[in-house]
Structure formats: C-alpha cells, structure tokens
Amino acid sequence: MSARSVDKRSGVAAPALSGKAAATLVVGGSGFLGCNLADSFLRDGEKVIVLDNLSRPGVERNLEWLVDNHGGAVEAEIADIRDLAAIEPVFKDAKAIFHFAAQTAVTTSLLQPVDDFETNARGTLNVLEAARRAGRRAPVIFASTNKVYGGLAGLEMEEAGDRYLPADAVTRRYGVGEAQPLDFSTPYGCSKGVADQYVLDYAKSFGLPTAVLRMSCVYGPRQFGTEDQGWVAHFLIRALAGEPISIYGDGKQVRDILHVGDAVAAYRALLTSIDRFHGRAFNLGGGPDNAVSLAEVLHEIELLTARRLMTEKCDWRAGDQLYFVADTRVLADAVGWRPHTGWRAGLRDLHAWLLQDWAEVSKSRFRDRPRRVTA
C-alpha cells in the first residue's frame, strides 16, 4: 500500500494515483477554445484528458476531430461539472487543469439564472474542489470574461465615425486594465464573477496554483458561433448562408477580437509561469491593434464573401458594453506574450476554415444519405 501525503495548507490527503501517466486536463475540451488548446498539447506529444458534457450543439464534432487526429493520446470523459462525484475521479491524473466549461450567454442567464449559477459558479467550485482533493497541486487556469467589469458605465464615451471610443486618452490608447473595479451585472456577469473570485481565493486559502484570464472576444477555426456567443463566427456563418444578421444596438460597439491561436499561446505561457503568477488575474484580448466595431467587421465580411449582407436592427441587450478593449500590458510583461494575428488576417483564416468545414459536412451528409435502390 502506498503512503498518503498530506498538503499542510489544504489539509487534503493525496490519494494513491492510478498509475497512468499524468496528463493535461481540459475541462470543456470539446468547446471552441478548449479543443484548440487540447490540440496544441497533443501536437507536442502530450497526453490530454478532455472533460465535457457535450451539451453545446456542434462540439461533438470537435471531440471527433481530436480523436481522429490524435487517437489514443486523447482521453474523453463525458461528465458534467455540476456533478462533483462524477468529475472527481478524472482529476487524479491531471498535472495541469484548464477550465473552459461554462454557460456562456448573457441572454440565457436572464432566462435561466439558476441554471447559469449552477454551471458557472457551482461548477467552477466543483472543479476547484476536485483539483484540491486530488492532492497533486495541479495548476488551475480559468477562462473568465471581461463582463466581470460590468457595463463600464463610468467610462465616458465619444462617437468617432462608426465606433465608440473612450474620452480618456490613456484608456483610448491602451484599453481597460485590471485596475478597473469589478462590477458584476446580469446573472452571467455575477456567476462568472463569483467563479473568477473563487479561483483566485483557492490560491490564497488552499495554496492551489491558480490564475485567471479575463477574456475579450476570441474567434477562429472550430468555432460554431451563435447569436448569443461567438459573434464573429456567427456573422460569417450567417453571411455564407445568405441569412440576415441581427445587430443589437447601433453596431458601433467596439471589441478587441483575438485569434484563437494567440489565445492558446497566452494560456500556455501562463501555465509555464504559474509558479510566479499564481493567484493573479490578467486581461486577455487582441488589444488596441485589434479593436474593431461590429460595423467594421460586417464591412470586412462583405469584402471576404463578395456579397451584400442583410442586417436587422434590434434593441440594445442587457449588459452590453459600448466599448471593451483589453489592456494586455500586464500579461505581456509577465509572460512575454503578444498577439501575432491581425484581425483581418484572422477573419480570413476563419472564413477559409468555415468553407472547408461546410464542404466536409456536406460530403459526410451525402455519404450517410440512404441510397435509392432500383429494380
């Protein structure tokens, strides 16, 4: 029988391990960002465990893609983070944990606030407890959101052509920094904010090496965007299908969009430096160089698709920020990370993948179609 060590800060006895090789655990690893991160580790010869409940439409295709490309190096565990007993055994072999699983839509949180809380807040607490009880002190890096800063109502705005910009010159130049006060609004902002703070506290209270990345808009291949989440991909998907695009507000809202390849690099860089920066929260986004309004993205999509887009104007949505651009200087200085893909090049990359994906899906549907038998 193997001895059980006790972490003096957490008071948790480390269980006997399964004997399997330690692996990187990606919670929500079938989702857009999760599967791209998992793929990056797998391409480096690492073993990866993907934990997902496959509830989001389309993500099962991402899991199939990982298995098709990497075979036995990827282990799939289908379970829900709301069920601690179900997920706890998965953590015993994890050497690092990335937590992406979430309810991601403000609109859904307003309709189903209890479900939103159970997934984002309680689910994250379950992830932290599973990591703590495993006794390995595996780093936990959490995908938070810029919504923890609220609507930025105190930030004075000016209209400049087809976009909003801060009146403050420093914010206009660099974006919103981590010193911005937290201001949870909407159930989604509250549930993600609670999770954000729990992740940081587990570093203080239990000595677990945790960190938080408060993300702006990430986009790129393997994103099946919807109207409520993943708006860049959603715009392109609707455009390619020749369907109208709903614009909530006036389309002058500004976001700093970040290509998924750059986001993956940020998560990996933070993991490498977790010993120095545990218990810290960083903003992650494309920064001022990749700050665009919805109107500008729509115009670029028209150029890419060579077609006039159909748009429908709708009322403003609750919690929508007129402007959010992440000041990423703290993250850049800490881990040496910079975004490398400009937003126009990134949009072309997403467009090319969507065209390829549509072709592959169409071929698959044709192959699966029952054949007509004639006499």
Side-chain angles (χ1 to χ4, degrees):
M1 181 180 294
S2 60
R4 291 164 61 89
S5 61
V6 176
D7 184 319
K8 292 181 180 179
R9 291 193 65 180
S10 68
V12 173
L17 302 180
S18 67
K20 294 192 297 184
T24 298
L25 171 59
V26 185
V27 182
S30 296
F32 158 56
L33 184 48
C35 79
N36 275 282
L37 180 70
D39 178 63
S40 77
F41 281 108
L42 290 161
R43 284 188 281 109
D44 285 347
E46 298 274 346
K47 291 189 70 66
V48 172
I49 303 169
V50 169
L51 173 62
D52 207 298
N53 68 356
L54 301 181
S55 62
R56 185 177 173 87
V59 298
E60 70 283 352
R61 291 167 53 194
N62 287 337
L63 183 56
E64 291 169 2
W65 171 72
L66 287 173
V67 173
D68 288 346
N69 282 278
H70 302 289
V74 56
E75 176 184 338
E77 297 286 349
I78 310 305
D80 196 307
I81 59 172
R82 292 171 292 186
D83 186 346
L84 177 58
I87 68 170
E88 192 170 358
V90 182
F91 286 71
K92 65 182 181 297
D93 296 308
K95 63 180 180 179
I97 300 155
F98 295 90
H99 176 26
F100 299 107
Q103 191 296 110
T104 58
V106 171
T107 49
T108 300
S109 79
L110 290 165
L111 294 171
Q112 301 172 329
V114 174
D115 290 344
D116 174 82
F117 176 87
E118 289 294 327
T119 299
N120 292 347
R122 187 182 299 278
T124 296
L125 185 58
N126 286 344
V127 167
L128 290 167
E129 275 297 278
R132 185 175 73 93
R133 294 179 186 182
R136 300 186 66 119
R137 293 195 75 252
V140 179
I141 299 179
F142 173 61
S144 187
T145 171
N146 61 34
K147 292 294 190 291
V148 300
Y149 298 119
L152 302 176
L155 194 60
E156 186 180 348
M157 291 291 167
E158 298 175 348
E159 287 190 49
D162 58 2
R163 58 166 55 191
Y164 291 105
L165 290 173
D168 176 67
V170 175
T171 305
R172 184 180 295 204
R173 181 177 180 183
Y174 296 112
V176 177
E178 291 86 352
Q180 176 70 29
L182 299 180
D183 180 19
F184 304 162
S185 61
T186 74
Y188 172 75
C190 290
S191 66
K192 290 293 285 189
V194 165
D196 178 307
Q197 295 300 289
Y198 261 107
V199 171
L200 296 179
D201 185 72
Y202 263 59
K204 292 182 285 188
S205 293
F206 301 111
L208 201 64
T210 66
V212 167
L213 287 172
R214 294 170 179 161
M215 295 192 297
S216 196
C217 301
V218 181
Y219 70 97
R222 312 220 65 82
Q223 184 177 38
F224 305 108
T226 68
E227 190 170 76
D228 292 320
Q229 199 272 337
W231 64 272
V232 177
H234 171 68
F235 282 5
L236 256 173
I237 290 168
R238 300 285 285 190
L240 290 171
E243 296 172 345
I245 299 169
S246 297
I247 304 299
Y248 294 87
D250 57 16
K252 297 183 179 183
Q253 303 97 304
V254 170
R255 301 289 184 270
D256 58 326
I257 61 177
L258 180 69
H259 188 270
V260 67
D262 288 324
V264 165
Y267 276 90
R268 296 194 58 165
L270 184 53
L271 176 64
T272 300
S273 302
I274 195 69
D275 288 342
R276 290 185 291 141
F277 300 111
H278 59 272
R280 295 275 300 275
F282 300 92
N283 287 349
L284 174 62
D289 290 342
N290 293 293
V292 290
S293 69
L294 275 61
E296 289 173 297
V297 172
L298 290 169
H299 177 68
E300 193 67 20
I301 289 174
E302 286 187 330
L303 297 177
L304 274 175
T305 60
R307 66 177 67 178
R308 182 89 173 164
L309 301 183
M310 297 181 290
T311 60
E312 299 174 341
K313 287 292 180 72
C314 304
D315 291 339
W316 290 89
R317 296 201 284 195
D320 197 7
Q321 298 154 323
L322 295 183
Y323 170 96
F324 191 91
V325 172
D327 181 347
T328 60
R329 290 177 295 167
V330 173
L331 179 64
D333 291 343
V335 302
W337 171 87
R338 300 283 193 288
H340 294 291
T341 303
W343 72 272
R344 287 187 175 87
L347 204 57
R348 290 195 297 271
D349 182 48
L350 174 57
H351 178 244
W353 176 77
L354 282 170
L355 291 176
Q356 177 186 355
D357 183 64
W358 279 26
E360 291 175 355
V361 169
S362 296
K363 288 179 183 178
S364 174
R365 286 173 177 168
F366 180 78
R367 286 197 305 269
D368 295 341
R369 188 179 301 165
R371 294 181 180 179
R372 178 179 295 176
V373 179
T374 59

